[in-house]
Amino acid sequence: MNSLFNPKTIALIGASNVKGKIGNSILTNLLFSKKQIYPINLNEKKVLGLNAYPSLKDIPIKELDLAIIAVPKKFVFDVLKDCAFKKTKYVIIISSGFKEAGDIDSELKIKNFAKKNKIKIIGPNVLGIFDNYSNLDTLFLSRSAQKRPKKGKISLISQSGTVGGILFNQFEKKNIGLNKFVSYGNACDINECDLIEYLNKDINTDVIACYIEEVIDGKRFVEILRKQKKPLIILKSGKSKKGSQSVQSHTGNLAGDYSVYNGIFNQFNIVSANTVKELVNYSAVITKPQIKNVTIITNGGGYGILLSDYFENYNIPILELSEIQKEKLKKALPLGVGLKNPIDVMGDANCERYLTAINLTKSFTDTYIIILLGQVSTINKDEVLKLNSELKKLNKNIFFISTMDEYTKILQESFLVYEFPEDLANYLTPLIKNRK
Amino acid sequence: MNSLFNPKTIALIGASNVKGKIGNSILTNLLFSKKQIYPINLNEKKVLGLNAYPSLKDIPIKELDLAIIAVPKKFVFDVLKDCAFKKTKYVIIISSGFKEAGDIDSELKIKNFAKKNKIKIIGPNVLGIFDNYSNLDTLFLSRSAQKRPKKGKISLISQSGTVGGILFNQFEKKNIGLNKFVSYGNACDINECDLIEYLNKDINTDVIACYIEEVIDGKRFVEILRKQKKPLIILKSGKSKKGSQSVQSHTGNLAGDYSVYNGIFNQFNIVSANTVKELVNYSAVITKPQIKNVTIITNGGGYGILLSDYFENYNIPILELSEIQKEKLKKALPLGVGLKNPIDVMGDANCERYLTAINLTKSFTDTYIIILLGQVSTINKDEVLKLNSELKKLNKNIFFISTMDEYTKILQESFLVYEFPEDLANYLTPLIKNRK
């Protein structure tokens, strides 16, 4: 799929100068890819400064890597014929109104025509695709409303455009690195199996995250899961009876019984996510080292206690401090510091006190949870910057709880940071069992 | 406790002109109460424009309703003696370093002295108290960093100051109305039982929310729960072995076995929360009508499917559309709209389309979940304003899912709005069983 993710030539059918239009938003994003772009517009000579063409037939090349179709449904088939004329390798059909809206025939017509003409299709009914390595960005999400996530080794595929958009947003918000994002919609041609197989071979993909509503070829899907080597996290919706009915009306396919999927996921050690946040955060965590011994250091007792409760629920092991360690902590830290794990360094703790607690425990622990509650503590931005730079040097698994957006922003540059202890505890669960 | 929550005269020991100091922050907040305030400061003649006094003994009244002590621990006992001299009814001891820091003796000394002199104490080791009806605000949370929640009928008590601050913040963030907030800390005198009993009699309290780390008098606590009439939501931390050990070091008391509490909560129909967000949101939801039939209307299929999954997990009943209703929806709405519940009105839905779906289902449903996904939809601020004002007129249980902060802000003025479907499903659970 190199011509899909890193095309040399791209045509956008439905390119527009009108702000707010889908074809304007996509072209704006395409410009970041610095590829050869051919905007197609019936009336305009120029679109966003590029030479435009009235039809795909008019572009000055004979073969095309990628065509993006962003015109109303009724024009899609004719455009596809033009794509065939230009020997187009890949077509992304943004347009909706097909199977998901009850029009199965139109979708079948497209599917068959494409197959006959050796055109590979993503869609219809998609948000587009995004690649942080080739800089290809065909999404109809404006960059002013939705910043792009930083470059990383996780690739994300989503059947639903809206859920895909929300997942994409979570990557950016949590500063989690992303490689590719594919909204694959009705999957009339390229489906989740094709994408997972491709991503398994992609050298810049270490983790594959999927939001799947329905699997068309169950047998092939199971075969892929069986052989799966790279960590694969799946949010399978339509688990319930009602949910399954909704899948049917949303994509026109049956969702299948969840108990079946659940069994398969367990059998093949696939990480199953139940929510969009789990999908994103499990993906971010999965490549970190397994947790053997956690030490929690907090400047607020309450959050330490709650986190202990959640860790015990999830069987996340908290380091038991030895008498020698307790004695050392007692000598090094002020009176009143909680000499248990969680270590409560109290509301007036500065960076130094956190570091002291870390230094006295680090030969026995592989994972630190640093809780930084800002509301009534003496911690400030300078202290957080200092802590951040010191902890970057420490060769440990480190996760933060921070309740102050200002501190979260600093820490998120290098660490995973959560606001609520129950979320952190949940997101660490992939690290407590042996997983692929 | 009228002299505590609505005192006529207040002294603040440790009042300060220095920004950032606890005694400065508290006095700034006290000024909003428009009571008679006596700042105590050894050196200053004026603090924040008010006449200040070197000692409590110097204030020009003989009896005092409320003294707030915000001086270092070593001075607290002497100040308490002055409080006795001035026949003070209530004392809030903000100062920390007592039992929670291992100094049990100092706390006992204070406790006994207060008892002998008929002084009632909140604390030590607290954030202060807040009352939206009397406008009393003794919190050491600056209003610039933490806006105050709007007035409402929920009262909140928290043993932990930091967790209390986070709970308080959640009320404000979600625009949930609050009456009183009490951070009661080490509870050397007034404890959770006293506060719950008082709030049960308070006419402006309809719901009581508690974060409790340890219960000192279990027998009395159980007796209160047994007789409890008003909805009571409790987040009891220290459930786990580790958590229980941490409670011990944080407040100096034992947490008790959670299985005991769990059994009691179930027996007496007390709503048990496991997280701070559950505590806040269960409290906000609990006084709404019971749910019998939910209709979900969404402009993104995926979130409708996920919500169906979660609702089925939680046994929240989704209305089954009749053939007649489906036929009516089909006639009134464009081709492609999902004629099942969740009703998928599609990404190009405007306010009108949502209203049509509501009007055609409202005689069969008592609860609406309106999902407004902004990322790739045609919804805009004007449409949201219109929808908001129309739905305010509808006499139904209405909850929103919104992914756009701008829309959430508008809708939150009148409705509960959540970002993620799993949260909404969870927070509705108090409405599906018969609860007090």
Side-chain angles (χ1 to χ4, degrees):
Chain A
M1 299 189 196
N2 208 40
S3 302
L4 174 63
F5 290 109
N6 194 16
K8 287 195 184 70
T9 50
I10 307 169
L12 172 61
I13 300 94
S16 171
N17 276 316
V18 183
K19 257 201 136 171
K21 287 240 177 192
I22 292 176
N24 179 273
S25 176
I26 295 176
L27 188 57
T28 307
N29 294 329
L30 274 179
L31 293 176
F32 286 86
S33 66
K34 307 203 186 307
K35 312 282 177 193
Q36 182 62 50
I37 300 165
Y38 303 98
I40 311 299
N41 180 304
L42 209 55
N43 307 309
E44 306 281 339
K45 288 255 181 313
K46 291 254 182 192
V47 181
L48 297 183
L50 298 178
N51 289 329
Y53 303 84
S55 141
L56 194 57
K57 285 184 175 167
D58 304 316
I59 64 170
I61 51 171
K62 285 182 179 158
E63 294 187 8
L64 181 66
D65 280 348
L66 176 64
I68 301 159
I69 304 182
V71 295
K73 187 185 85 167
K74 59 184 170 185
F75 304 119
V76 170
F77 189 71
D78 284 340
V79 171
L80 204 62
K81 284 198 274 188
D82 294 349
C83 289
F85 178 79
K86 284 290 179 184
K87 297 195 176 59
T88 306
K89 287 180 189 146
Y90 286 90
V91 174
I92 298 173
I93 305 178
I94 305 285
S95 323
S96 61
F98 293 89
K99 197 169 64 172
E100 87 284 1
D103 187 357
I104 299 173
D105 291 345
S106 295
E107 188 160 319
L108 206 63
K109 196 172 151 196
I110 279 170
K111 179 182 170 161
N112 292 335
F113 180 84
K115 198 173 175 187
K116 224 164 67 188
N117 291 277
K118 295 198 172 112
I119 298 170
K120 301 294 293 170
I121 291 179
I122 289 277
N125 183 29
V126 301
L127 205 56
I129 69 176
F130 173 83
D131 188 315
N132 247 331
Y133 288 79
S134 73
N135 293 318
L136 179 69
D137 185 347
T138 85
L139 303 178
F140 75 92
L141 292 171
S142 84
R143 288 183 176 226
S144 58
Q146 176 60 62
K147 275 186 244 162
R148 272 37 184 168
K150 69 175 180 188
K151 196 189 271 195
K153 297 277 190 171
I154 303 171
S155 288
L156 167 71
I157 67 170
S158 175
Q159 187 152 24
S160 157
T162 45
V163 174
I166 289 160
L167 287 161
F168 191 76
N169 174 261
Q170 285 291 308
F171 272 87
E172 188 272 320
K173 252 189 178 169
K174 306 295 298 179
N175 198 38
I176 297 169
L178 186 74
N179 172 355
K180 294 171 172 41
F181 165 49
V182 182
S183 157
Y184 70 92
N186 294 4
C188 85
D189 179 17
I190 295 174
N191 61 31
E192 70 289 343
C193 289
D194 302 313
L195 290 165
I196 293 171
E197 279 189 337
Y198 172 78
L199 293 171
N200 271 332
K201 287 179 212 140
D202 178 42
I203 52 159
N204 287 320
T205 296
D206 286 348
V207 177
I208 305 168
C210 311
Y211 171 77
I212 298 175
E213 291 181 349
E214 49 113 31
V215 172
I216 300 164
D217 184 350
K219 206 174 151 188
R220 185 177 162 210
F221 185 66
V222 171
E223 217 33 62
I224 287 171
L225 298 195
R226 187 194 308 279
K227 292 181 193 151
Q228 187 61 25
K229 292 265 181 0
K230 289 185 185 178
L232 176 65
I233 333 279
I234 299 178
L235 169 54
K236 174 74 184 68
S237 74
K239 298 170 183 182
S240 63
K241 204 172 131 265
K242 281 263 176 241
S244 163
Q245 282 172 7
S246 302
V247 169
Q248 195 173 5
S249 74
H250 187 216
T251 64
N253 281 291
L254 280 168
D257 190 307
Y258 184 64
S259 63
V260 175
Y261 288 105
N262 225 9
I264 297 167
F265 291 170
N266 273 333
Q267 189 182 343
F268 300 126
N269 219 3
I270 304 301
V271 178
S272 174
N274 281 312
T275 66
V276 297
K277 284 198 284 181
E278 283 183 3
L279 182 58
V280 173
N281 289 291
Y282 287 170
S283 302
V285 155
I286 194 85
T287 46
K288 309 239 174 223
Q290 296 283 308
I291 293 176
K292 291 196 197 79
N293 264 311
V294 177
T295 293
I296 302 166
I297 304 173
T298 180
N299 64 347
Y303 258 28
I305 298 166
L306 284 168
L307 193 60
S308 295
D309 286 347
Y310 305 135
F311 274 16
E312 192 155 307
N313 277 349
Y314 285 119
N315 292 314
I316 300 172
I318 299 177
L319 174 74
E320 195 81 48
L321 295 184
S322 70
E323 288 308 314
I324 297 166
Q325 279 172 312
K326 283 183 194 171
E327 207 46 52
K328 279 188 186 163
L329 282 168
K330 197 174 171 182
K331 271 187 198 150
L333 294 170
L335 188 76
V337 163
L339 298 175
K340 294 190 178 71
N341 189 0
I343 301 170
D344 179 357
V345 289
M346 304 192 300
D348 63 341
N350 54 7
C351 160
E352 212 45 47
R353 210 183 285 171
Y354 279 95
L355 291 176
T356 302
I358 290 168
N359 282 326
L360 292 176
T361 49
K362 71 181 174 190
S363 41
F364 304 93
T365 201
D366 54 30
T367 304
Y368 281 101
I369 313 295
I370 309 294
I371 304 181
L372 280 182
L373 305 178
Q375 277 85 345
V376 291
S377 72
T378 53
I379 215 81
N380 59 38
K381 196 180 162 182
D382 286 342
E383 290 295 308
V384 173
L385 282 166
K386 218 157 68 181
L387 191 62
N388 183 57
S389 78
E390 286 300 320
L391 292 187
K392 272 158 67 178
K393 299 177 204 157
L394 196 73
N395 188 25
K396 300 279 181 187
N397 248 344
I398 299 173
F399 303 92
F400 279 88
I401 290 177
S402 157
T403 54
M404 308 289 276
D405 290 345
E406 191 191 4
Y407 307 157
T408 301
K409 220 172 166 183
I410 295 166
L411 298 164
Q412 261 190 184
E413 288 298 315
S414 318
F415 303 102
L416 287 168
V417 186
Y418 299 102
E419 192 180 352
F420 293 98
E422 65 272 18
D423 291 335
L424 172 73
N426 175 6
Y427 301 149
L428 293 188
T429 53
L431 298 184
I432 52 168
K433 276 197 264 178
N434 279 313
R435 295 249 180 220
K436 282 186 202 179
Chain B
M1 300 191 195
N2 207 40
S3 301
L4 174 62
F5 290 110
N6 194 14
K8 287 195 183 70
T9 50
I10 307 169
L12 172 61
I13 300 95
S16 171
N17 276 317
V18 183
K19 257 199 137 172
K21 287 241 177 192
I22 292 177
N24 179 273
S25 175
I26 295 176
L27 188 57
T28 307
N29 294 329
L30 275 179
L31 293 175
F32 287 87
S33 66
K34 307 204 187 305
K35 313 283 178 194
Q36 182 62 50
I37 300 165
Y38 303 99
I40 312 298
N41 181 303
L42 208 56
N43 307 309
E44 306 279 341
K45 287 254 182 310
K46 292 253 182 192
V47 182
L48 297 183
L50 298 177
N51 289 328
Y53 303 85
S55 142
L56 193 57
K57 284 183 175 169
D58 304 317
I59 65 170
I61 52 170
K62 285 182 180 157
E63 294 188 8
L64 182 66
D65 281 348
L66 176 64
I68 301 159
I69 303 181
V71 295
K73 187 184 83 167
K74 58 184 171 186
F75 304 120
V76 170
F77 188 70
D78 285 341
V79 170
L80 203 62
K81 284 198 274 187
D82 294 350
C83 289
F85 179 80
K86 284 291 178 184
K87 296 193 174 63
T88 306
K89 288 180 188 147
Y90 286 90
V91 173
I92 298 173
I93 305 177
I94 305 284
S95 323
S96 61
F98 293 89
K99 197 169 62 171
E100 87 284 2
D103 186 356
I104 299 173
D105 292 344
S106 295
E107 188 160 319
L108 206 63
K109 196 172 152 195
I110 279 169
K111 180 182 170 162
N112 291 335
F113 180 84
K115 200 174 175 187
K116 223 163 69 187
N117 291 277
K118 294 198 172 112
I119 297 171
K120 301 296 291 169
I121 293 179
I122 290 275
N125 185 26
V126 301
L127 206 56
I129 69 175
F130 174 83
D131 189 314
N132 246 331
Y133 288 80
S134 72
N135 293 318
L136 179 69
D137 185 348
T138 85
L139 302 179
F140 74 92
L141 291 171
S142 84
R143 288 185 176 224
S144 58
Q146 175 59 64
K147 276 187 242 161
R148 271 38 184 168
K150 69 175 180 186
K151 196 190 271 195
K153 298 277 190 173
I154 303 170
S155 288
L156 167 70
I157 66 170
S158 175
Q159 186 151 23
S160 157
T162 45
V163 174
I166 290 160
L167 288 161
F168 192 76
N169 174 262
Q170 285 290 307
F171 273 87
E172 189 272 321
K173 251 189 178 170
K174 306 295 298 178
N175 198 39
I176 297 169
L178 186 72
N179 172 357
K180 293 170 174 40
F181 165 49
V182 182
S183 156
Y184 70 92
N186 294 6
C188 85
D189 179 18
I190 296 174
N191 60 33
E192 69 290 344
C193 289
D194 302 314
L195 290 164
I196 294 170
E197 279 190 337
Y198 172 78
L199 293 170
N200 271 331
K201 288 179 211 140
D202 178 42
I203 52 161
N204 287 321
T205 296
D206 286 350
V207 177
I208 305 168
C210 311
Y211 171 76
I212 298 175
E213 291 180 351
E214 50 114 28
V215 172
I216 299 164
D217 185 350
K219 207 173 149 188
R220 186 177 162 212
F221 185 66
V222 171
E223 217 34 62
I224 287 170
L225 298 194
R226 188 195 307 281
K227 293 180 191 153
Q228 188 61 24
K229 293 267 184 353
K230 290 184 185 178
L232 176 65
I233 333 279
I234 299 178
L235 169 53
K236 173 72 184 70
S237 74
K239 298 171 183 179
S240 63
K241 203 171 131 265
K242 280 262 177 243
S244 164
Q245 283 172 5
S246 303
V247 168
Q248 196 173 3
S249 72
H250 186 216
T251 65
N253 282 291
L254 281 167
D257 190 306
Y258 184 64
S259 62
V260 175
Y261 288 105
N262 225 8
I264 296 167
F265 291 168
N266 274 332
Q267 188 182 344
F268 300 127
N269 218 4
I270 305 302
V271 178
S272 174
N274 281 312
T275 66
V276 297
K277 285 197 283 182
E278 284 183 4
L279 183 58
V280 173
N281 290 291
Y282 287 170
S283 302
V285 155
I286 193 85
T287 46
K288 309 240 174 222
Q290 295 283 308
I291 293 176
K292 291 198 197 79
N293 264 311
V294 176
T295 294
I296 302 165
I297 304 173
T298 181
N299 64 346
Y303 258 28
I305 299 166
L306 284 169
L307 194 60
S308 296
D309 286 347
Y310 305 135
F311 274 15
E312 192 155 304
N313 276 350
Y314 286 120
N315 291 314
I316 300 172
I318 299 176
L319 174 75
E320 195 80 48
L321 295 183
S322 69
E323 288 308 313
I324 297 165
Q325 281 172 311
K326 284 183 194 170
E327 206 46 54
K328 279 186 186 164
L329 283 169
K330 197 175 171 182
K331 269 186 198 149
L333 294 171
L335 188 76
V337 163
L339 299 174
K340 293 190 179 74
N341 189 0
I343 301 171
D344 180 356
V345 288
M346 303 193 300
D348 62 341
N350 54 7
C351 160
E352 212 46 48
R353 211 183 285 169
Y354 279 95
L355 291 176
T356 303
I358 289 168
N359 282 326
L360 291 176
T361 49
K362 70 180 175 192
S363 42
F364 305 93
T365 200
D366 53 31
T367 304
Y368 281 100
I369 313 295
I370 310 294
I371 304 181
L372 280 181
L373 305 179
Q375 278 83 342
V376 291
S377 71
T378 54
I379 216 81
N380 58 38
K381 196 181 163 182
D382 286 341
E383 290 295 309
V384 173
L385 282 166
K386 219 157 66 183
L387 191 61
N388 183 56
S389 77
E390 286 300 319
L391 292 187
K392 271 158 68 178
K393 300 177 206 157
L394 197 73
N395 187 25
K396 300 278 182 190
N397 248 345
I398 299 172
F399 303 92
F400 279 88
I401 290 177
S402 156
T403 54
M404 305 290 276
D405 290 346
E406 190 190 4
Y407 307 158
T408 301
K409 221 172 164 180
I410 295 166
L411 298 163
Q412 262 191 183
E413 288 300 315
S414 319
F415 303 102
L416 286 168
V417 186
Y418 299 101
E419 192 180 351
F420 293 98
E422 65 272 19
D423 291 334
L424 173 74
N426 175 7
Y427 301 149
L428 292 187
T429 54
L431 298 184
I432 52 168
K433 276 196 264 177
N434 278 313
R435 295 250 180 216
K436 282 186 200 178

